[in-house]
Structures are given as C-alpha cells and as structure tokens.
Amino acid sequence: MVAAARQALDEALPAGQGNALVDVDALTNRLTMAVMLRTLFSSTAVDRTTDAARASRILTYCGMRELFWPVTLPDWLPLPGKADKRWAMRLLNVLIAGHIRRRLAEPAGTPPKDDLLAMLLAARDEDAGANSAGLSPAEVHDQCKLMFLAGHDTTASALQWWLWLMARHPEAARRAHDEVQRVLGGREPTAADLPQLDWLTATLKEALRLYPPAPSLTARRTTQEMQVAGWRIPRRTLVFIVPWVAHHDARWFPEPEAFRPERFTADTPPPPRGAWMPFGTGPRVCIGQHFAMLEMTLVAAMLLQRYTLHTEPGQAEPRPVLNVTLRPAQSIWLRLARR
Ligand code: HEM
C-alpha cells in the first residue's frame, strides 16, 4: 500500500512544479487499483489502468441500471449499453486471466508469492480435508475479479470525498497534518502507527458517514415473515438497507450535514450499532473493511506529508450521484500544493 501510494502521490505533481490542479477521481482510482494489483497478483505494472478504470466505471453504470430492470436480459442482445458492458467484461476478463496464466506458467523453483492469488490457489476446504480439490479455475478467476472490483472502486470513492472535505475544511486538515508530523516525524507510516492517528482516522470515518461509498445496496431477502418497528414484512421480500439515511439522521448525528470528525475521536462515545455502517453489518459485512481503513489511513497520512489541498475560488459543492458506488456527478479537481 505504501509503495503504491508513494508512486501515485509523487507522480500527482510533475517534478519541479510547486502546485497543480489535479483530477482526484483519476488519482484515487490509479492509486487504489495499483494497491489491488499488488495485493492480488504482486503486480507493479500499471499499464492498462486507464482502460480498467473505464471498464469498472461502465460496469457500475450497467449494474445500477440493470438492478432496476424486472429481469436481466442477456448481454448479447443489441440493447443500449450492452456493447459497452461486453467490452468492459472482456477487458477485465483478459486482464485477470493474463495474471493467472502467467502465475500458473511460472517454472518450478520460482520463489512463492505472498499474495491473494497464491492464497486462492492454495485454498482447500477445511471440512473436506487437505487433499480436497480446491477452487476451480473459474472460481479463482471470479474471486480475483470480485476482489479487484470491490476493492478499488469503493476505496477510491471514499478517498475522493475525503480529499474534497479536507480541501473544504483546512482547519481539520491542518490538525490532521500536525498529528501526522507528531506521530511520524517525516517517515513513512506503517500499520502499527494507526492507533496513534486518531484525528486522521476520525476525518476518514466522518467522510465515510457523509459520503458512504456504497450507500444503499445492502440487500437482504427475508426467509420468513417478520415484524420490524410495527411493519409486517412478508416472506421473500427484498429489503434494502440504506446507510445513507441512517448516516444523515440527526438523532444519531446532530447537524448531520456538518463535517465534524470529533464525532469519531477516541474520547467520543461511538454511535449506536447500525447508525454508522459504511461497510454494512452482520455476517456479510464487507470482507475488506480493515484492509480499506488501513489503506485509506496510510494514503491520507502520506498525502498530507507531501501536499496541502485547496479548492478553487467559487468551486461548487460536488453533487453525489449513486451508481453502485457514490461518485461526484463531475470529477472533483483540487489544487495540490507541495509543502
Ligand atoms: C471504503 C471502502 C469500502 C467500502 C465502503 C465497502 C463497502 C462494502 C459494503 C457496504 C458491502 C456489502 C455488505 C453487506 O451486504 O452487508 C461490501 C461487501 C464486500 N466488500 Fe467492501 N467496501 C470497501 C472496500 C473493500 C475492499 C478494499 C475489498 C477487498 C479487498 C472489499 C471487498 C468486498 C467483498 C468481497 C464484499 C462481499 C462480501 C460478501 O458478500 O460476503 N471491499 N463492501
């Protein structure tokens, strides 16, 4: 994570330039994608990331639209959006398959990799015993694709909104930078530093509250009739749990539209269970939540070590739009100035 962040953040501003207007959507996507490629495949190649970013964006648009169709029609039909979807699926499949093929073709004696693909290939069903067959090639491929998509788009969205909030609230950003300086003294962060970065973490949690990257798509189907708060919900009803609503409820978060990281500092009692759930909750809670918090905190610390963030005069508030993940209607551009 640190290596990927170092590269992406150093490249964000051309060498010798004191400041620049930066497309933070592109920056955060490049960065989180690089993290996932290293985590999944130990790959430092960042070629095709622009195409991959476009492909995953297309899939979120299609996913969102098709979610509200009564039935999902086959992808080969000549319907609006289907050609783009086919292109995006093919691109990601080729990308993932290439990484897996290269791994399987490694000659005997190649030092083993310590990445998610190695773990998936070695995984065995604990109940079936060590000699069980493991995952099929299609399952390994699908797991890699899921992790790649679920693991970069959400975190990029969260970082993008955090960057915007830091630029809009320079006092909170200054306090976060002071903390980073005090704890790290100029060196790069590690996972062990997280407990000391209380204010920085609180700014990230408050960003996740105001702009949850997956704000409405936690869906469950009831297996039996049930009563919830006086409502009768029949069996087999699809229930959408919408963190966006709880996150903007003044009962749990007074002045819910205000950016107030102190809601999440260690000396403040946490909100009641379920009031803050950017990662969902229960048995299907996001499997990557700790990974994402670690990644965002490391990236945020490294960014503040390098740059101050500024909005442009008269810059409008970005309007959030739901397309599976919560994105600004237009990409946010911020001025990054070297410290
Ligand atoms: C800020 C970043 C992230 C947010 C806000 C987020 C949010 C979520 C949410 C709301 C769910 C649905 C939970 C539910 O249905 O109850 C989910 C599921 C999932 N997330 Fe994340 N996620 C993030 C980062 C990641 C990362 C980094 C990874 C992988 C490394 C990841 C992998 C997954 C997977 C595989 C699932 C499906 C889990 C299952 O159904 O069992 N996510 N995430």
Side-chain angles (χ1 to χ4, degrees):
M1 286 169 183
V2 168
R6 189 189 308 130
Q7 185 174 356
L9 294 174
D10 286 346
E11 287 171 5
L13 230 63
Q17 205 167 313
N19 68 77
L21 252 189
V22 172
D23 174 350
V24 296
D25 183 34
L27 170 66
T28 52
N29 257 299
R30 225 172 19 243
L31 200 165
T32 58
M33 212 178 268
V35 169
M36 281 323 288
L37 288 174
R38 285 172 185 260
T39 306
L40 272 166
F41 307 121
S42 306
S43 166
T44 52
V46 284
D47 58 326
R48 308 214 68 187
T49 46
T50 314
D51 276 349
R54 203 176 136 232
S56 61
R57 193 60 50 86
I58 287 172
L59 291 180
T60 58
Y61 288 144
C62 294
M64 194 67 201
R65 203 176 45 228
E66 294 185 3
L67 197 66
F68 295 99
W69 290 358
V71 288
T72 302
L73 296 165
D75 287 336
W76 50 262
L77 283 176
L79 293 169
K82 287 287 193 191
D84 282 351
K85 184 179 176 186
R86 286 195 296 272
W87 173 85
M89 288 292 239
R90 214 167 27 239
L91 185 123
L92 290 178
N93 284 338
V94 167
L95 188 100
I96 303 286
H99 282 291
I100 298 176
R101 202 177 44 246
R102 281 192 291 281
R103 177 67 52 87
L104 295 176
E106 279 179 352
T110 310
K113 300 276 188 315
D114 177 22
D115 55 24
L116 199 50
L117 175 58
M119 290 180 202
L120 289 168
L121 290 171
R124 294 292 175 271
D125 185 337
E126 277 172 19
D127 295 335
N131 293 327
S132 68
L135 297 174
S136 71
E139 283 169 328
V140 171
H141 180 102
D142 286 351
Q143 290 293 330
C144 288
K145 191 159 66 172
L146 169 66
M147 284 294 174
F148 179 71
L149 287 172
H152 85 265
D153 197 30
T154 41
T155 316
S157 158
L159 279 171
Q160 183 168 189
W161 290 112
W162 176 82
L163 275 152
W164 162 255
L165 289 165
M166 287 286 99
R168 281 278 283 110
H169 301 276
E171 195 42 55
R174 205 167 303 127
R175 187 167 162 189
H177 176 249
D178 289 350
E179 181 182 77
V180 167
Q181 284 298 95
R182 197 175 60 249
V183 175
L184 303 177
R187 68 173 166 81
E188 287 186 333
T190 70
D193 296 315
L194 256 60
Q196 267 110 261
L197 297 170
D198 182 46
W199 178 259
L200 183 66
T201 307
T203 62
L204 288 162
K205 288 185 170 172
E206 177 68 340
L208 287 168
R209 180 188 72 80
L210 277 168
Y211 299 105
S216 74
L217 297 178
T218 309
R220 300 290 185 272
R221 195 180 292 281
T222 53
T223 54
Q224 59 189 48
E225 182 184 312
M226 59 192 296
Q227 298 278 338
V228 178
W231 293 79
R232 188 186 69 85
I233 304 179
R235 185 171 168 267
R236 293 198 50 74
T237 304
L238 192 59
V239 181
F240 280 83
I241 295 126
V242 186
W244 173 276
V245 174
H247 286 194
H248 292 256
D249 188 325
R251 283 175 298 174
W252 325 121
F253 304 106
E255 287 192 63
E257 301 313 317
F259 176 67
R260 290 210 193 131
E262 51 275 18
R263 303 183 207 267
F264 292 102
T265 47
D267 54 5
T268 310
R273 185 160 184 253
W276 183 81
M277 49 170 185
F279 298 105
T281 187
R284 302 293 302 227
V285 70
C286 173
I287 200 171
Q289 63 171 327
H290 301 298
F291 183 101
M293 281 310 297
L294 173 62
E295 177 181 354
M296 291 189 295
T297 316
L298 297 174
V299 170
M302 292 173 74
L303 192 135
L304 293 175
Q305 284 178 321
R306 285 167 174 71
Y307 305 122
T308 52
L309 295 154
H310 309 270
T311 54
E312 291 291 273
Q315 187 168 351
E317 291 271 331
R319 189 170 56 84
V321 176
L322 178 62
N323 269 310
V324 182
T325 49
L326 192 74
R327 293 279 179 172
Q330 257 93 40
S331 176
I332 301 172
W333 289 72
L334 294 175
R335 188 163 296 280
L336 264 56
R338 220 180 277 285
R339 286 190 191 274

